[in-house]
Amino acid sequence: MIVRTSRDFTCISASGKDWRDISRQVLSAFEKTDKTYSLGLLYATQDLCEDLGSILTLFQSVSQVEQWVANTAPSVFANGEIHANKPGLVCMLCKLDREDFCLFPRSEIGLGRTKEVLAPWLQENEALLGLIHSDISLKQDTAQILKELNNYTEAYLVGGLTSPAKDTTQLSDNIATDSCSGVLFSRSLKIITALSQGCLPIGEPHEVTKAEGPIVAELDKQKAFDVFKADLKAFAEAKSRRENSNGDSSGDPDCLLTEAEDFPQGELDSIAKGEIHVAFSVAGSDVKDYLVRNLAGVEPDHGWIVAASPVYEGDELLFVHRDRETIRSDLSRMLVDIRNRTTRDQGTFSPKAALYISCIGRTREGYGMSAEEEISLVEEILGPVPLIGFYARGEISNDRLYGYTGILTLFL
């Protein structure tokens, strides 16, 4: 068991043979605090799905903390400790004024009902940030709920989608499956958030000039495959030059791309579905943000590329490269940037607590960083801050659903 405490927050991580054993550990740690908390965040591995109701009842009774928001996921972590493929639980106890947050279970927030449900709290408070947990089976509903929450509350939203398991559990004062739940935080709190895509852009954005469904026929009024081929070749040549300048003579652009007629279809498909993705620029973003989607395939004979989502004429599309090194590099950049921003704004870097939600796809063997390496890097740059989080099947930032990202939120 690992415990970290700061002013207003205590974060506890524990694992054991069953929910009773784990709960005893957590409550033993809680007994050593000042017990004046008002909100609890709780993430458990899916081994504890069926026991989450019992855990909640026990925690509410012993801790006297009435308000809880929880989620089950395949992997959860806190304070540098990761729990996966075994019973594990992490929780963060928050000492906040009761008017500074508002819970909303999915059973009360339906499409078109957001204003009705949240109006009483929003009449007295202005929302700054919303933490959202949603089952991936509700992906389409979730997208609509995010837009509704964002439009009505103007809160910045962060969160993640849980695994597609029949026993996935959401909790926001009550237990539910196939659910979406969360909590809004008011503007009287100091909170900062940042996103790491883990990608390196390949070339410049292109305008989609002909598309139907997921098929992109033309980019910049040229065959989409020809544009893809040219961007990937330029990327491979630049990579080769970098490797050669570092004394690595093995850098050869032909190992990534040759002329289309010489390029085996299977090898091209392997590249497209592995490390190369399509991304769509977010209109109006002042940080050149983009949404990454899988590249489902290419059709050199037709001159097409195929995305894993619908594409529309007028969209701005670019190709991006993601592998272990780009994930690590971009995560480091994001962590250093949020540390510098906080220090500049606050005069020092001393966050009270941190919440990190990452994509389980970033830890895929042979592709990304291991969970241990990723969380270790977060810990290394942030320092010994009480930290809690989980691995998701899709991540929420603002009113959009992302993939393969890491989202960090700091309570200052």
Side-chain angles (χ1 to χ4, degrees), residues 70-128:
N71 179 30
T72 57
S75 180
V76 302
F77 52 85
N79 305 333
E81 184 175 40
I82 302 169
H83 305 296
N85 303 315
K86 62 179 180 180
L89 182 151
V90 297
C91 78
M92 180 177 285
L93 298 163
C94 314
K95 193 183 303 180
L96 306 175
D97 291 339
R98 185 61 188 85
E99 62 270 18
D100 281 339
F101 64 93
C102 175
L103 274 58
F104 53 91
R106 174 70 172 94
S107 59
E108 295 183 13
I109 285 202
L111 302 183
R113 293 195 58 222
T114 303
K115 181 176 181 179
E116 174 188 348
V117 173
L118 297 177
W121 185 78
L122 289 171
Q123 286 174 358
E124 304 293 333
N125 302 277
E126 187 177 1
L128 171 64

Side-chain angles (χ1 to χ4, degrees), residues 84-225:
N85 303 315
K86 62 179 180 180
L89 182 151
V90 297
C91 78
M92 180 177 285
L93 298 163
C94 314
K95 193 183 303 180
L96 306 175
D97 291 339
R98 185 61 188 85
E99 62 270 18
D100 281 339
F101 64 93
C102 175
L103 274 58
F104 53 91
R106 174 70 172 94
S107 59
E108 295 183 13
I109 285 202
L111 302 183
R113 293 195 58 222
T114 303
K115 181 176 181 179
E116 174 188 348
V117 173
L118 297 177
W121 185 78
L122 289 171
Q123 286 174 358
E124 304 293 333
N125 302 277
E126 187 177 1
L128 171 64
L129 181 125
L131 171 61
I132 315 295
H133 305 137
S134 183
D135 190 284
I136 196 170
S137 65
L138 294 176
K139 188 172 183 179
Q140 296 305 316
D141 282 352
T142 299
Q144 181 60 39
I145 290 171
L146 294 180
K147 290 186 180 298
E148 198 170 302
L149 282 168
N150 182 268
N151 290 338
Y152 181 57
T153 69
E154 297 185 357
Y156 196 95
L157 307 177
V158 299
L161 304 182
T162 60
S163 300
K166 64 180 180 180
D167 55 356
T168 295
T169 302
Q170 301 289 332
L171 182 154
S172 181
D173 265 1
N174 59 7
I175 299 293
T177 58
D178 300 329
S179 181
C180 177
S181 63
V183 55
L184 293 177
F185 295 98
S186 80
R187 288 190 178 274
S188 66
L189 302 174
K190 293 181 180 179
I191 303 174
I192 188 171
T193 186
L195 169 73
S196 171
Q197 294 263 33
C199 294
L200 177 67
I202 298 173
E204 296 297 321
H206 306 283
E207 182 184 358
V208 177
T209 49
K210 189 175 182 180
E212 183 175 351
I215 297 174
V216 182
E218 289 185 0
L219 293 171
D220 301 333
K221 297 185 178 181
Q222 303 176 57
K223 288 184 178 181
F225 177 77

Side-chain angles (χ1 to χ4, degrees), residues 292-354:
V292 179
R293 298 293 183 257
N294 287 332
L295 183 56
V298 293
E299 295 286 348
D301 292 341
H302 295 91
W304 300 342
I305 63 170
V306 184
S309 64
V311 183
Y312 303 96
E313 293 180 8
D315 283 352
E316 195 173 68
L317 181 151
L318 69 156
F319 301 104
V320 296
H321 178 243
R322 180 191 280 119
D323 62 11
R324 180 182 177 280
E325 291 308 314
T326 63
I327 291 172
R328 182 179 181 86
S329 175
D330 193 58
L331 178 58
S332 297
R333 176 207 56 77
M334 181 270 280
L335 292 167
V336 170
D337 179 65
I338 198 170
R339 185 181 179 106
N340 289 341
R341 285 164 54 198
T342 303
T343 302
R344 182 174 62 249
D345 295 342
Q346 303 292 314
T348 183
F349 184 75
S350 55
K352 299 175 183 177

